[in-house]
Every structure is written in C-alpha cells, then in structure tokens.
C-alpha cells in the first residue's frame, strides 16, 4: 500500500510539473518533448512518440520520439487514418476518444512500428482539446506488462494537458 501511495504521489507531482510548463510556455515542441520525457519515466516505458494530426485530419505525424532504435524511419513515417493496415488503431481513437491498451503487441493487429521495435506492451492515449482528437501519445514497453488503472488515468490527464498546450501554441502563432 505504501508503494502504491508513493507511485501515486509521483504521478501527481509529474502532472503538476507538466501543468506548470503547459501554462507558461508557448513553445509547443519544447512542451511536447518535456511531456514525453516525463511520461516515459512516469510509466517506466522504454519508448514513446507524440503524433499530431495534420490540418486536413487524415495523417498523424510524429513530432517527438524517444527511445526508438531507428528514429529516422519513424519520424518520417506518417500514419494514414484512411488506410486500415496502418491507421486502424489511431482511427479508433479519433472516433471513440478513448485510450487503447495492448498488453500483447506481437499478437495484435496493427502497431507495425512497435513490432519492429520489439515492443511487447503498449498504451495509446488520445490528445484531446475542445472534444477533438488532435493526436496521440504512443508508449511502449519491451517487456510484457499489465498497466494499472491509475497510470492510465494519469496518462489521459496528460493527453488533455498536451491538447491545451497545442491549442495555446496555435493561438500564439496566429
């Protein structure tokens, strides 16, 4: 019980630090990189990506990556939401606005990038602002894992923070 309390305290501290950064910074890339760093350490993930939807809404482009063995191949590869082979899970997130947990990536459909990276378990969290999915936070573990519900709730709150940061940065640019 003490360990769970300690983990929850760390999650809340991380959320607070990210909130501070989101509300004080207008540099979107810096905020996204910071959030990805914090999220990876928070959930003990080995790799992660933040992907944002293009203005037309059909492609997800990587804007931040950490922990990939071949980051160049990933950063230049867009996910086409219209293509069932590559965009199925992200399309599902856009429609449902809900996170997806995949505890057995090798046996799942989709997630080709994570499979190449030898990810065993993954979480995909929507980035939401004003009821619109602006992108996803994609996190992977190279060891099989089960994810506690409180971690998912924290990650979803962070997805909302990223959504606010994106809206704020776009308004600042305009």
């Amino acid at each position: 019980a003490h360990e769970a309390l300690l983990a929850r305290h760390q999650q809340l501290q991380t959320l607070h630090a990210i909130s501070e950064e989101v509300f004080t910074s207008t540099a979107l890339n810096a905020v996204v990189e910071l959030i990805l760093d914090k999220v990876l350490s928070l959930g003990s993930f080995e790799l992660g990506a933040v992907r944002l939807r293009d203005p037309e809404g059909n492609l997800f482009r990587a804007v931040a990556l950490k922990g990939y063995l071949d980051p160049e191949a990933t950063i230049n590869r867009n996910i086409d939401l219209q293509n069932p082979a590559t965009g199925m899970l992200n399309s599902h997130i856009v429609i449902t606005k809900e996170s997806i947990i995949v505890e057995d990536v090798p046996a799942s459909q989709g997630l080709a990038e994570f499979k190449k990276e030898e990810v065993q378990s993954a979480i995909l969290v929507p980035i939401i602002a004003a009821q619109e999915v602006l992108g996803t936070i994609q996190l992977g573990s190279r060891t099989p894992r089960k994810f506690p519900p409180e971690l998912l709730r924290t990650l979803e709150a962070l997805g909302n923070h990223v959504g606010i940061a994106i809206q704020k940065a776009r308004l600042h640019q305009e």
Side-chain angles (χ1 to χ4, degrees), residues 24-134:
T24 57
S25 176
T26 55
L28 181 60
N29 285 2
V31 171
V32 170
E33 291 279 338
L34 170 93
I35 288 173
L36 188 54
D37 278 340
K38 297 262 187 212
V39 167
L40 289 172
S41 64
L42 181 71
S44 301
F45 295 99
E46 284 89 9
L47 72 159
V50 174
R51 289 187 172 275
L52 299 180
R53 284 173 83 176
D54 69 341
E56 287 79 48
N58 296 327
L59 296 177
F60 273 26
R61 301 179 193 284
V63 294
L65 297 174
K66 300 280 180 183
Y68 280 77
L69 302 172
D70 188 5
E72 291 304 312
T74 302
I75 198 84
N76 296 318
R77 192 178 154 272
N78 297 323
I79 294 175
D80 184 351
L81 297 177
Q82 312 274 307
N83 182 342
T86 60
M88 181 181 65
L89 292 177
N90 287 290
S91 291
H92 182 76
I93 289 173
V94 168
I95 293 164
T96 65
K97 298 178 175 69
E98 293 177 0
S99 299
I100 295 175
I101 296 174
V102 183
E103 290 177 346
D104 187 358
V105 170
S108 72
Q109 288 189 344
L111 297 174
E113 267 177 24
F114 273 0
K115 288 175 181 173
K116 276 189 239 164
E117 291 284 337
E118 300 176 11
V119 169
Q120 301 299 307
S121 301
I123 296 180
L124 287 77
V125 178
I127 297 170
I128 299 175
Q131 298 301 311
E132 181 187 356
V133 175
L134 304 178

